[in-house]
Structure formats: C-alpha cells, structure tokens
Amino acid sequence: MSETQEVFVAKSVEVKSYFDGGLLQYIGWSILGFLVTVCTFGICYPWSITMKYAWKINHTVYEGRRLKFTGSAVGLFGNWIKWWLLTIVTLGIYSFWLFIKLEQWKVKNTKFVD
C-alpha cells in the first residue's frame, strides 16, 4: 500500500440474539397445554404444540430481529392426521419421520417480524 492510501477499518456492530420469555409464562403454557391435551383425550394435542411453540418463537430475537410464529392448530391438525394415517399404514415405519416433519412445519411457519 502506498502512503497516500487510507485504510478504513469498519468497526463491527454487535447484534444480539436473546430469548425474553419468563419461567412463569413457560410453566403456565405447559400446564395449560397439558390440561387441554388430557381433557380432550389428545385430540387437541396439535393446539398444545402450536401454543407452546408460538410462545417460544415469539419471545426469540435472532441477530436483532424478532421472530414470529404464523402457524395455526388447524393447519397442524390436518398434517397431524395425515402423518398418523401414514404411520398406521406403514406399520409404524413412518413414525421415524414424524419429528422431522413436525420440525419442517414449524420452520415453514416461522418468520421475521420486520
């Protein structure tokens, strides 16, 4: 470099990622999800999943950008029925993919607020 050239060093700005949910909220949502699932004999378990996951995602900020969960229990319920029918038809083999399918559905329905 010659002496006439100036070198600019960009100062990196630290952008934080954090979770701002509280313990009492988590306990409350967990108890509510459990009660709804038990009282409906498991029929509303997809609602419990979406409720708890929405709480988790809606309290998450990733690199300065808040996340938002846009999925609904009705949307998950249709997939839930399909996935369990596939599990029954394949004599349980499809159950190995249930966790992956649920995670894919969660990510598909997670967006940035801005």
Side-chain angles (χ1 to χ4, degrees):
M1 265 214 254
S2 69
E3 293 179 45
T4 58
Q5 291 178 329
E6 294 182 31
V7 178
F8 293 98
V9 178
K11 185 177 181 180
S12 64
V13 177
E14 183 178 331
V15 182
K16 295 185 179 182
S17 297
Y18 58 90
F19 178 77
D20 60 8
L23 177 63
L24 290 178
Q25 292 172 333
Y26 176 73
I27 291 171
W29 285 115
S30 295
I31 290 171
L32 182 61
F34 174 78
L35 290 175
V36 166
T37 301
V38 169
C39 291
T40 62
F41 302 105
I43 293 171
C44 288
Y45 182 62
W47 180 80
S48 176
I49 291 173
T50 56
M51 175 189 63
K52 284 176 60 178
Y53 190 70
W55 173 80
K56 177 182 168 185
I57 289 301
N58 293 338
H59 285 279
T60 301
V61 175
Y62 181 72
E63 294 186 357
R65 298 176 70 191
R66 185 164 294 276
L67 296 174
K68 179 174 179 62
F69 181 67
T70 59
S72 69
V74 174
L76 179 57
F77 190 76
N79 285 320
W80 198 257
I81 298 297
K82 177 179 68 175
W83 297 336
W84 279 108
L85 287 175
L86 285 169
T87 300
I88 292 167
V89 169
T90 61
L91 304 174
I93 294 172
Y94 191 78
S95 66
F96 295 111
W97 282 270
L98 282 180
F99 176 78
I100 300 299
K101 289 298 185 184
L102 182 58
E103 290 303 309
Q104 289 173 343
W105 182 83
K106 287 177 181 179
V107 171
K108 178 180 164 186
N109 289 288
T110 301
K111 311 284 187 238
F112 286 108
V113 170
D114 52 350

